[in-house]
Structure formats: structure tokens, C-alpha cells
Amino acid sequence: MNRRGLATSVASRAGLLQLLERAGARPALAVLVYHRVLSPDGHRYDKAVIEATPEEFDEQMGMLKRRHSVVTADELTDVILNPTKLRHFRVAVTFDDGYRDNYDHAFPILKSHGLSATFFVSTHYMDSRRLSWWDQVAYVIRKSRRSTLKLEYPKRVAVEVDRDAPDLAIQTILRLYTRSNADLSCFLAAVEEACELRVPDEAEDRQFMSWQEAQEMKDAGMSIGSHTHSHGILAAMTAEQQRAECRESREQLKARNLTSDVLAYPVGSVTTFSATTIRCAKDEGYRIAFSNYGGVNRPDAMNPFDVKRMNMNIDETARQLRFRLALSRVSRRAAW
Ligand SMILES: [Zn+2]
């Protein structure tokens, strides 16, 4: 049993879970963020963005429906902009990137539980077979035969790859980029050289949702927001580039009558957006922007341009999620 499983089991047996749920009556908004709902078996791209299988997601949504007050997509913007309306502990479900499996798997499950969610899409990828940079990197590292990858950029480093389980190496190399604010095309060129393979621009099958699928989800009560246009790290760009990323995405959403004033910063960790990012987002007409580095939002500390979210983890049972939410009621930061 892993750490999460052990903690949940001990807490449940000791009656701590129920105690936390009763004690933590303070108003707060916990926003969950998923990327992909998919079986990771045989996946050719980045497995780290798969946070639940369809079965796990179904159990998690069932638990949320039974035990929590889940905000609708419309209520979400309302309680963020008017935090005094947040009178008890509430939960929201969000998705980043706009993957096709959100439509194929998550959407029918959400509907079956009578829940709605907000889906932040990067407009450049919609309706195409384009691959995101993290999926491109994961794909070539999996395909490469090299057991040591020597990268020259963003810094000179040699990463050992377990050819039977390359996921650790994939994450190590992806972090070199997300933590350095490096230039994306230089980074991709360095990965190509290290893997001795060309990074493919397109997937064999479409990975992201189509505009028609987004529209269908919106018509069924889901909300579609912006995750910028091309999903570059905003803090690494000039102010003008950041503005263009925010503007292009907003215009594309607006043209299709989809929600255009809520944004989720790509990656969303503290180093990936800045005061300049916030100013650009405001200037381009966004009213709310979500980060992604943990924590819940208390009404007295709600920041509409840094709405905190809790990342989901693969293999997290519904009970473990219940425990994590219970802990987040009493601590400033959500555990694990
Ligand atoms: Zn993203």
C-alpha cells in the first residue's frame, strides 16, 4: 500500500476522516484539475497527464456527488468574483489542455452524475492531429533506443533511461524545460539530437477535442475556457507574446460563442506566470485565471488571477480523494 493508501486507511479506521469532514466547516472552494481520463496501458505519449482511468473518474465523481456540494460551471465564476457567496466547503472540477478523451470519457461520466466541469483548451491544438510539446518529447524518448540521453540545452545533462519504463526519464527531461523558462524550439531540437530521432508534429490519431465536441459539451452545461493559444510557458515570453497568446485564444473562443473570460495558465506552477502575465490577461479581457500548485481558496483570500487548484493523481481512489479533500478543509495547503 502506498503512502496515500496507508494514510487514508489509518484515518478512516480511527474515525479521523469523519471528524475532519465535520470539523472543517469553514467556507472554501477546492478546484480539482485533471488533464486526461484514459487507460495509461500502451500509451505512446506523456503518461503523467493521465490522472484517472474512466473507472477511477466515475468513482471519484460518484463520491463528489454523494459527499460534496459541487459547483456548476456557471457558479464557479460567480463564487470566485463574489467570494462572500461561498458559505461552505465547495468543490469544482476542471480540465486543462482540451484532450479528446475529455469528450470521449469524462463528459459522459460527468453527465451520468449530473455534474458539470470547466474545460480549458489550448486553441492551437483544437480540431487537428497536432501534438503538444510534452507529448512530442514523451513520444521520441519512448521511441529512441538510447539508454543515456545527453542534452545540450537548457543545460548540459545526461539522463539515464530505463528502456522498460522510460516515464521517469521523460518527466526529468520535461522538468528541464518547465522549470527553466527556456526556448521551446531549442529544447525540442536538443531532445531530437539526444534521441537521434525527429520529433513528430502530428499524432497518428487526433489527441485533442474538435470544436464541434466542445460545442456539444457547452450545450450540455459544461464550460469551455482558455488555456492560451499554443500552451507555451507564459513567464518565459515577452509581454507582447503573452498578450498575443491570451488574445488569439480568447478571440477563437469568442467567435464560437464559448466562454472567453476565464483562463488557466499553462502548467500553472508559481514560476510559469508573473505579474506581467496577470496584467496581460487582464488587458486582454479575462476576469479570472487559474494556477495549479495546490491549495484551496478561502473567501477572505480569494485571488481571481491566482485561483488555486489541486492536481489529481493516477491511482487515487475515491476514498483517498475524499480524505485529501477533508484534509484540505483544515489545512491551508492540500496534502500531497
Ligand atoms: Zn496544460
Side-chain angles (χ1 to χ4, degrees):
M1 188 183 284
N2 63 17
R3 192 165 60 96
R4 273 186 268 149
L6 190 66
T8 307
S9 160
V10 169
S12 303
R13 236 174 268 163
L16 183 62
L17 180 53
Q18 289 77 5
L19 201 69
L20 282 172
E21 284 178 336
R22 275 200 300 271
R26 277 196 297 166
L29 174 68
V31 186
L32 308 183
V33 53
Y34 293 86
H35 294 79
R36 306 195 79 157
V37 172
L38 198 65
S39 166
D41 297 340
H43 190 62
R44 281 171 290 185
Y45 306 106
D46 183 9
K47 284 188 192 175
V49 287
I50 303 175
E51 285 106 351
T53 63
E55 295 73 24
E56 286 166 346
F57 185 70
D58 188 31
E59 280 176 24
Q60 290 165 0
M61 293 305 106
M63 182 279 291
L64 288 186
K65 181 74 182 176
R66 279 193 306 277
R67 303 207 166 263
H68 288 281
S69 165
V70 181
V71 298
T72 64
D74 287 341
E75 280 177 309
L76 181 60
T77 53
D78 190 35
V79 295
I80 291 166
L81 294 173
N82 306 288
T84 51
K85 289 188 179 178
L86 204 55
R87 301 253 161 77
H88 52 275
F89 187 82
R90 305 201 69 186
V91 181
V93 181
T94 66
F95 281 81
D96 277 5
D97 301 345
Y99 277 107
R100 180 183 180 169
D101 47 82
N102 296 180
Y103 172 82
D104 289 339
H105 301 311
F107 175 44
I109 293 168
L110 285 160
K111 271 198 300 189
S112 75
H113 291 285
L115 296 173
S116 68
T118 300
F119 296 83
F120 294 100
V121 302
S122 289
T123 44
H124 174 70
Y125 299 101
M126 298 288 282
D127 248 339
S128 76
R129 287 193 292 121
R130 290 188 185 116
L131 273 172
S132 65
W133 47 262
W134 56 96
D135 283 331
Q136 287 178 311
V137 168
Y139 183 85
V140 286
I141 295 176
R142 276 188 211 292
K143 276 250 162 170
S144 172
R145 290 169 180 274
R146 301 203 63 87
S147 54
T148 304
L149 297 178
K150 291 180 180 159
L151 268 83
E152 298 293 329
Y153 183 87
K155 61 179 179 184
R156 183 170 288 185
V157 64
V159 179
E160 297 301 322
V161 188
D162 177 346
R163 280 279 135 230
D164 296 322
D167 296 283
L168 190 65
I170 290 170
Q171 292 318 307
T172 304
I173 289 174
L174 283 173
R175 271 197 299 272
L176 289 175
Y177 172 61
T178 55
R179 291 190 180 168
S180 66
N181 289 351
D183 179 83
L184 179 58
S185 49
C186 294
F187 171 62
L188 291 177
V191 171
E192 285 187 332
E193 203 164 305
C195 292
E196 295 180 326
L197 281 174
R198 287 277 302 154
V199 164
D201 292 322
E202 294 198 329
E204 287 149 37
D205 44 357
R206 180 166 60 86
Q207 298 294 303
F208 292 90
M209 65 175 81
S210 68
W211 284 115
Q212 199 191 330
E213 287 161 354
Q215 193 65 54
E216 198 186 315
M217 287 163 72
K218 190 218 167 189
D219 293 344
M222 308 291 146
S223 175
I224 310 293
S226 166
H227 199 35
T228 72
H229 183 58
S230 64
H231 202 294
I233 309 287
L234 290 168
M237 299 178 190
T238 64
E240 199 37 58
Q241 287 169 328
Q242 295 190 53
R243 237 179 265 285
E245 279 290 328
C246 293
R247 187 185 311 136
E248 177 66 27
S249 165
R250 185 162 189 264
E251 280 174 2
Q252 291 208 18
L253 292 166
K254 237 165 115 179
R256 293 169 176 90
N257 240 345
L258 298 165
T259 327
S260 56
D261 55 3
V262 288
L263 173 73
Y265 304 120
V267 183
S269 51
V270 282
T271 57
T272 58
F273 65 101
S274 65
T276 307
T277 310
I278 293 173
R279 199 174 60 243
C280 294
K282 282 182 182 172
D283 288 350
E284 292 304 323
Y286 291 95
R287 294 194 300 157
I288 290 172
F290 292 81
S291 55
N292 184 15
Y293 54 86
V296 297
N297 304 280
R298 310 262 176 228
D300 56 348
M302 182 78 80
N303 180 348
F305 281 84
D306 183 1
V307 183
K308 293 170 183 57
R309 295 190 294 172
M310 296 163 60
N311 215 351
M312 301 302 297
N313 309 291
I314 189 75
D315 293 335
E316 184 168 37
T317 65
R319 195 164 182 81
Q320 286 164 359
L321 174 60
R322 185 182 156 197
F323 180 51
R324 187 152 66 111
L325 284 169
L327 271 185
S328 77
R329 289 175 173 219
V330 291
S331 78
R332 279 239 162 244
R333 289 189 63 81
W336 61 77

